[in-house]
C-alpha cells in the first residue's frame, strides 16, 4: 500500500495547525504503509514565499517531495478578494481568484498528482480551503481522502467547496461539529466519513517542578499555548484577564507560550515565555491549574487534547462550537461566552481545587479513550481498508469540468458570510 499526504507546508520546525497534524499522520501511517508527502517549498503561512528547494528530502524517515509556489500572497489584493466573496454577490470566477490569491498556489504540485495519480493508492489531502486540495482532488478524485480541518469561518460558505465535500472518496473529520458543519453546507451524508481527530506524542514522564524552576514561577497559574494572535482570541483574553485582576486579591498568573504578533500587556501577573520546546510545553501544561483556549475558530485543538492527556482541565471560549462540544463530551472543562462567565469560571477553578482535579481526571480518560495513537491509526487504516473493498457509490462531481468562460463569470453566488450565518450553530449533541 502506497499513500500520499498532501499538505500546504511541511517540516519538522512547523509546530502547529493542520501542518503538524499532517506530519503526525504521515509519520504514524508510515509504520503501516509506504508514505510520501507532497507539499510546497513554502514555510511561512502569510507570504507563502518559496523558502526551501524543490525536490525530495527525508524528514523523520518520511520522503517529502516539494514543489514551488507560483507567487507570494499580496495581502492587499487578498483582502479585496475576500471582501468580494465573503460580503457581496459574486461569481465562481471571483472565488477561483480568491483561491489563487489565498495561496499557496502550486500548479506544479497539481500537475504531479495528475501525472502520477496511479502511483499512490490513496491521497490524503489536508485543509479543504487551499489550492492544492481544490485542484489536487479533481486530479485524483477516485483516490482522494480529505482531512478538511474546517472551521466556522466564511470560507466554508463559498460555492467552490460543496462539490469537493461530495466528490472525494471519504472524509476524516476532526470533530462532530466539523462533520455537522460540512454536512449542513454540502449535504454530503452519503460520502464515507469518520470523526477521527488527531493524537499527540505526549511524553510518559513530565516534570512540573522543572518548568517552575526554569522560568521562576512559584504561583498557581493558567497557561495559554499557541500563536498569540487576534484571530486566536488573545486580544479578548487579555482584556478579560486584566478585568479579572481588578476583582481579586490573589489572582492566578497567566503564562503565555508562543510567538506573539500582539502587544503583551505589562503586568506582573502576565508572563510571556515566547516559543518554548516540547519538553517545556508539556512540563508547563502539567504544572498549570488549567489551559485557557480563547479561540473563536477551531476544527480541533491539539493543545486541549494534550492538556487533557496530562490531567489538566480546559477553560474554553464557548463561542467556538468545537471547543464547547469537546468540553461537554469530556466533562473536562468549562467555557465562557462573555466577561462575566470568564470571571466566574476562573474564580470557580481557584475556589474548587478538588473539583478542578476531577475535571482533569475526566480529561485524561477522554483522551485515552478517543485520542491515543492506536485509536487514531486504527481509524485511518480502517478507512483505507473500507475504500479498498468498496467501489465508489456514484460518479464524482469532481470529474466534471469547471463551467465555461461565461458561466463562471455570472454573479449568482450569495455572500459566503450570509451562507455561514444560515448554518446551524452550537455543539453537536452526539456523544463520544
Amino acid at each position: 500500500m502506497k499513500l500520499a499526504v498532501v499538505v500546504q507546508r511541511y517540516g519538522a520546525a512547523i509546530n502547529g495547525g493542520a501542518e503538524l497534524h499532517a506530519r503526525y499522520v504521515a509519520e504514524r501511517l508510515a509504520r503501516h504503509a509506504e508514505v510520501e508527502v507532497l507539499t510546497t517549498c513554502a514555510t511561512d503561512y502569510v507570504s507563502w514565499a518559496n523558502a526551501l528547494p524543490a525536490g525530495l528530502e527525508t524528514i523523520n524517515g518520511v520522503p517529502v517531495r516539494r514543489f514551488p509556489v507560483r507567487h507570494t500572497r499580496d495581502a492587499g489584493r487578498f483582502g479585496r478578494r475576500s471582501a468580494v466573496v465573503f460580503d457581496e454577490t459574486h461569481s465562481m470566477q471571483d472565488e477561483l481568484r480568491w483561491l489563487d490569491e489565498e495561496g499557496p498556489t502550486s500548479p506544479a504540485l497539481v500537475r504531479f498528482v495528475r501525472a502520477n495519480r496511479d502511483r499512490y493508492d490513496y491521497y490524503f489531502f489536508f485543509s479543504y480551503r487551499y489550492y492544492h486540495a481544490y485542484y489536487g482532488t479533481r486530479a485524483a478524485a477516485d483516490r482522494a481522502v480529505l482531512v478538511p480541518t474546517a472551521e466556522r469561518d466564511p470560507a466554508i460558505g463559498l460555492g467552490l467547496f460543496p462539490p469537493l465535500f461530495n466528490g472525494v472518496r471519504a472524509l476524516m473529520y476532526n470533530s462532530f461539529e466539523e462533520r455537522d458543519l460540512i454536512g449542513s453546507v454540502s449535504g454530503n451524508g452519503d460520502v464515507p466519513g469518520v470523526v477521527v481527530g488527531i493524537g499527540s506524542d505526549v511524553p510518559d514522564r513530565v516534570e512540573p517542578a522543572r518548568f517552575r524552576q526554569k522560568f521562576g514561577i512559584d504561583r498557581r497559574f493558567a497557561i495559554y499555548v499557541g500563536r498569540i494572535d487576534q484571530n486566536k482570541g488573545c486580544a479578548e483574553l487579555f482584556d478579560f484577564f486584566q478585568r479579572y485582576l481588578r476583582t481579586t486579591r490573589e489572582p492566578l498568573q497567566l503564562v503565555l507560550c508562543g510567538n506573539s504578533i500582539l502587544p503583551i500587556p505589562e503586568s506582573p501577573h502576565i508572563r510571556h515565555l515566547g516559543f518554548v520546546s516540547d519538553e517545556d510545553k508539556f512540563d508547563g501544561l502539567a504544572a498549570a491549574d488549567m489551559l485557557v483556549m480563547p479561540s473563536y475558530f477551531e476544527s480541533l485543538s491539539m493543545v486541549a487534547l494534550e492538556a487533557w492527556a496530562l490531567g489538566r482541565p480546559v477553560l474554553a471560549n464557548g463561542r467556538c462550537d468545537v471547543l464547547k462540544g469537546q468540553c461537554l463530551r469530556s466533562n473536562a472543562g468549562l467555557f465562557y461566552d462573555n466577561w462575566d462567565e470568564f470571571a466566574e469560571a476562573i474564580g470557580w477553578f481557584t475556589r474548587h481545587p478538588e473539583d478542578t482535579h476531577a475535571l482533569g481526571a475526566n480529561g485524561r480518560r477522554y483522551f485515552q479513550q478517543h485520542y491515543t495513537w492506536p485509536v487514531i491509526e486504527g481509524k485511518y487504516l480502517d478507512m483505507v481498508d473500507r475504500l479498498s473493498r468498496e467501489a465508489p457509490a456514484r460518479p464524482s462531481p469532481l470529474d466534471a469540468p469547471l463551467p465555461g468562460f461565461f458561466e463562471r463569470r455570472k454573479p449568482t453566488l450569495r455572500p459566503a458570510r450570509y451562507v455561514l450565518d444560515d448554518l446551524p450553530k452550537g455543539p453537536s449533541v452526539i456523544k463520544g
Side-chain angles (χ1 to χ4, degrees), residues 318-340:
R319 285 167 288 178
C320 177
D321 291 345
V322 171
L323 293 174
K324 186 174 182 178
Q326 292 284 63
C327 286
L328 289 170
R329 286 188 291 275
S330 65
N331 193 23
L334 302 179
F335 44 87
Y336 61 91
D337 286 345
N338 51 50
W339 141 247
D340 290 319

Side-chain angles (χ1 to χ4, degrees), residues 47-231:
S47 71
W48 299 118
N50 290 311
L52 298 171
L56 270 172
E57 66 171 312
T58 299
I59 297 176
N60 295 341
V62 178
V64 178
R65 192 181 297 270
R66 297 188 185 278
F67 300 88
V69 176
R70 184 168 62 188
H71 61 76
T72 57
R73 178 190 287 173
D74 182 310
R77 192 158 56 229
F78 177 55
R80 291 190 293 273
R81 298 285 191 208
S82 297
V84 169
V85 299
F86 292 164
D87 299 314
E88 301 175 15
T89 300
H90 60 277
S91 68
M92 183 180 188
Q93 187 65 20
D94 291 323
E95 294 191 357
L96 291 171
R97 288 169 175 160
W98 172 88
L99 188 71
D100 179 65
E101 291 293 346
E102 183 188 36
T105 299
S106 181
L109 191 160
V110 176
R111 286 195 299 269
F112 180 86
V113 172
R114 183 175 294 111
N116 296 272
R117 61 177 304 284
D118 296 334
R119 182 173 183 163
Y120 308 94
D121 294 284
Y122 296 99
Y123 293 80
F124 287 89
F125 288 92
F126 277 76
S127 299
Y128 80 97
R129 62 181 291 161
Y130 293 112
Y131 182 99
H132 69 279
Y134 182 76
Y135 289 105
T137 55
R138 300 183 73 86
D142 64 328
R143 298 164 185 258
V145 179
L146 181 65
V147 187
T149 68
E151 301 172 354
R152 193 181 179 89
D153 67 9
I156 196 70
L158 295 177
L160 291 180
F161 299 125
L164 172 61
F165 299 139
N166 278 281
V168 293
R169 286 294 307 278
L171 293 99
M172 311 297 286
Y173 298 105
N174 269 342
S175 68
F176 293 105
E177 287 75 23
E178 183 192 34
R179 187 190 63 183
D180 292 350
L181 179 68
I182 289 174
S184 295
V185 79
S186 68
N188 70 335
D190 61 339
V191 180
V194 62
V195 176
V196 56
I198 186 63
S200 182
D201 292 319
V202 178
D204 294 330
R205 179 182 175 85
V206 292
E207 298 188 25
R210 177 171 58 193
F211 180 86
R212 289 184 172 277
Q213 181 177 12
K214 180 173 181 176
F215 295 105
I217 297 172
D218 57 5
R219 296 165 48 189
R220 297 176 65 189
F221 67 94
I223 193 169
Y224 170 83
V225 179
R227 190 172 72 248
I228 301 169
D229 187 347
Q230 175 84 21
N231 292 336

Side-chain angles (χ1 to χ4, degrees), residues 305-325:
L305 297 178
E306 290 167 344
W308 284 329
L310 294 169
R312 292 298 177 267
V314 171
L315 175 59
N317 190 330
R319 285 167 288 178
C320 177
D321 291 345
V322 171
L323 293 174
K324 186 174 182 178

Side-chain angles (χ1 to χ4, degrees), residues 141-421:
D142 64 328
R143 298 164 185 258
V145 179
L146 181 65
V147 187
T149 68
E151 301 172 354
R152 193 181 179 89
D153 67 9
I156 196 70
L158 295 177
L160 291 180
F161 299 125
L164 172 61
F165 299 139
N166 278 281
V168 293
R169 286 294 307 278
L171 293 99
M172 311 297 286
Y173 298 105
N174 269 342
S175 68
F176 293 105
E177 287 75 23
E178 183 192 34
R179 187 190 63 183
D180 292 350
L181 179 68
I182 289 174
S184 295
V185 79
S186 68
N188 70 335
D190 61 339
V191 180
V194 62
V195 176
V196 56
I198 186 63
S200 182
D201 292 319
V202 178
D204 294 330
R205 179 182 175 85
V206 292
E207 298 188 25
R210 177 171 58 193
F211 180 86
R212 289 184 172 277
Q213 181 177 12
K214 180 173 181 176
F215 295 105
I217 297 172
D218 57 5
R219 296 165 48 189
R220 297 176 65 189
F221 67 94
I223 193 169
Y224 170 83
V225 179
R227 190 172 72 248
I228 301 169
D229 187 347
Q230 175 84 21
N231 292 336
K232 291 294 185 180
C234 293
E236 182 180 76
L237 172 62
F238 294 157
D239 175 45
F240 283 4
F241 191 77
Q242 289 181 100
R243 290 166 67 182
Y244 154 74
L245 292 177
R246 295 192 288 270
T247 69
T248 181
R249 294 182 178 180
E250 297 183 1
L252 288 174
Q253 192 170 33
L254 176 63
V255 174
L256 309 168
C257 298
N259 294 326
S260 180
I261 59 175
L262 285 178
I264 305 296
E266 293 187 8
S267 168
H269 304 294
I270 300 175
R271 288 282 308 277
H272 179 214
L273 305 183
F275 182 81
V276 300
S277 67
D278 280 350
E279 178 181 83
D280 289 337
K281 177 186 74 171
F282 288 117
D283 284 351
L285 287 170
D289 284 61
M290 76 197 78
L291 171 74
V292 182
M293 276 298 301
S295 179
Y296 310 111
F297 307 115
E298 295 287 337
S299 66
L300 179 70
S301 170
M302 290 175 63
V303 71
L305 297 178
E306 290 167 344
W308 284 329
L310 294 169
R312 292 298 177 267
V314 171
L315 175 59
N317 190 330
R319 285 167 288 178
C320 177
D321 291 345
V322 171
L323 293 174
K324 186 174 182 178
Q326 292 284 63
C327 286
L328 289 170
R329 286 188 291 275
S330 65
N331 193 23
L334 302 179
F335 44 87
Y336 61 91
D337 286 345
N338 51 50
W339 141 247
D340 290 319
E341 292 178 359
F342 177 88
E344 179 59 30
I346 287 277
W348 187 91
F349 278 121
T350 59
R351 295 190 303 271
H352 300 89
E354 292 185 2
D355 291 331
T356 297
H357 179 78
L359 289 182
N362 290 343
R364 182 182 286 112
R365 285 191 294 271
Y366 184 70
F367 178 87
Q368 291 171 347
Q369 183 177 358
H370 298 285
Y371 296 104
T372 58
W373 274 118
V375 174
I376 302 297
E377 291 173 39
K379 290 184 177 181
Y380 272 89
L381 296 173
D382 287 347
M383 180 59 75
V384 168
D385 179 65
R386 175 182 174 181
L387 298 180
S388 300
R389 291 183 286 104
E390 297 179 359
R394 52 178 169 72
S396 170
L398 298 178
D399 290 332
L402 292 175
F405 180 90
F406 293 107
E407 192 67 24
R408 286 203 306 269
R409 287 162 173 78
K410 290 181 179 178
T412 58
L413 297 175
R414 295 177 65 209
R417 206 179 304 276
Y418 291 8
V419 177
L420 175 65
D421 288 344

Side-chain angles (χ1 to χ4, degrees), residues 7-25 27 37-46 48-52 57 59-60 64 66 104 126-127 130 201 226-227 259 275-276 278 281 302 306:
V7 66
Q8 54 270 20
R9 58 185 185 134
Y10 189 95
I14 296 174
N15 288 308
E19 297 90 343
L20 181 59
H21 184 168
R23 179 162 67 82
Y24 281 168
V25 169
E27 292 173 2
V37 173
L38 310 179
T39 190
T40 72
C41 298
T43 58
D44 180 68
Y45 70 93
V46 175
W48 299 118
N50 290 311
L52 298 171
E57 66 171 312
I59 297 176
N60 295 341
V64 178
R66 297 188 185 278
F126 277 76
S127 299
Y130 293 112
D201 292 319
R227 190 172 72 248
N259 294 326
F275 182 81
V276 300
D278 280 350
K281 177 186 74 171
M302 290 175 63
E306 290 167 344

